[in-house]
Amino acid sequence: MQSEHYVIIGNGPAANSAADILRKGDPDARITLISDEFFPYYHRHLLRHYILGKKSKEDLIVRPISYYRENRIRLRLGQKVVRIDLQTRTVFLAHMEKVHYTRLLICLGGKPRIPEIHYVYSEYFTAIKTIDDAEAFREQLPGIRSMVIVGGDLISVKMAASFLETGMNVRFLIDEDAFWPLKLDDDQRRDFTERLSARGAEVISGDVLAGVEPETEGGFRVRTRNGLSLSCDRIGAFFGLIPDVDFLVGSGLDIDRGILVNEYLQTQFEGVYAAGDCAQVYNPDLKNYWVSIGWDNALHLGQIAAHNILGSDKTADLPPLNLLNSDGVKVQTAWWRDL
Ligand SMILES: Cc1cc2nc3c(=O)[nH]c(=O)nc-3n(C[C@H](O)[C@H](O)[C@H](O)COP(=O)(O)OP(=O)(O)OC[C@H]3O[C@@H](n4cnc5c(N)ncnc54)[C@H](O)[C@@H]3O)c2cc1C
């Protein structure tokens, strides 16, 4: 019998926790991890320390490359998946190579979300998701004395705390969408404002971004609906992460906010699973799907998917402790760990 070839798209916590389980459960199988990032598996929550020079690139790495060699996991870094053919079980890479799989696990993660209304200003925004983003920001940091942060999410709060440490002037323009997919109530909003103000940030709430213009000397002018005009060196856009599944549209997979999977994390295609930030998971009790973003959640979902690929029927039914309803999508929020 031909041995399995498990192909995992992604190299974050979901992908790596799945690879570990697959290797233990099927010692003879081929396992391939594909990531479009060149850097090995790293802690994204430490990027802010890297930006400030408190951590080196090596400090961010979760596990060395040698781990993959020792565990016979083929790690393909810097290779972008551009298409999947689910009929022929083929993954197409940007450099024209094809990879065939017997079982596929999609762990694409999320990308910074820009609400549609602000799309037109995207080119002026700075978002930090990857080590490359952090590296670019770190290089520019000495020239950045002021920053306006629009949106504001769990990532931005930590980032802002780091920026404030450098003596940077930080202004927060929190709008309705700030903590997407969570909705803040008035108490939470007040608490958020107080915490940031105590750290030295200026928090502007009840107002929204109405325009951005680049300034001749390289900075930007941010205008708000209430008539404020804020000059700054950089505009940070932090509206949460959104599943990064654009290139899968047309593949035949069901996609809504993320890749739709059942409670076993399987898509409607036999042998094709999704886990982590990119998965939108059905919960039979809720009779609805939930999406979630967070490191521990990704670790956990990756393990569940791998067990099921190996033949178990584990369900991804973690307790809905903190269930919110955002725009008609049920959102599990217990995942975000304060790392
Ligand atoms: C700055 C920052 C700080 C954070 N802080 C925290 C925190 O404090 N606590 C917390 O719980 N969570 C935090 N998070 C969120 C957490 O990092 C994510 O929820 C988690 O990494 C999701 O894991 P994942 O495996 O689903 O995807 P990711 O870690 O996003 O990994 C996705 C992988 O897919 C690859 N990929 C994507 N598209 C393609 C493609 N087309 N072809 C090939 N490869 C592709 C990427 O290269 C990457 O390797 C933070 C995130 C960021 C960006």
Side-chain angles (χ1 to χ4, degrees), residues 10-11 13-14 35-36 44 81 108-109 129 277 294-295 298 336-337 339:
N11 186 27
S35 170
D36 58 358
R44 293 186 195 278
V81 176
L108 292 170
K129 160 79 203 282
D277 284 4
W295 188 270
W336 190 271
R337 187 154 65 110
L339 294 160

Side-chain angles (χ1 to χ4, degrees), residues 9-16 34-37 41-48 79-82 93 107-110 128-130 154-155 158-159 238 241 244 247 275-278 292-299 335-339:
I9 307 174
N11 186 27
N16 278 279
I34 307 174
S35 170
D36 58 358
E37 289 187 72
Y41 178 27
Y42 62 99
H43 291 289
R44 293 186 195 278
H45 61 276
L46 296 181
L47 288 176
R48 66 195 184 101
Q79 304 194 1
K80 190 174 178 64
V81 176
V82 288
L93 303 175
C107 304
L108 292 170
I128 295 165
K129 160 79 203 282
T130 65
L154 293 166
I155 297 175
K158 294 281 178 68
M159 286 284 176
F238 293 92
L241 300 174
D244 191 3
F247 77 93
D277 284 4
C278 71
S292 58
I293 305 289
W295 188 270
D296 284 357
N297 176 51
L299 282 176
W335 312 111
W336 190 271
R337 187 154 65 110
D338 207 13
L339 294 160

Side-chain angles (χ1 to χ4, degrees), residues 219-233:
F220 301 93
R221 184 154 296 276
V222 172
R223 299 191 191 283
T224 74
R225 193 184 288 163
N226 291 348
L228 289 178
S229 171
L230 312 168
S231 174
C232 61
D233 295 321

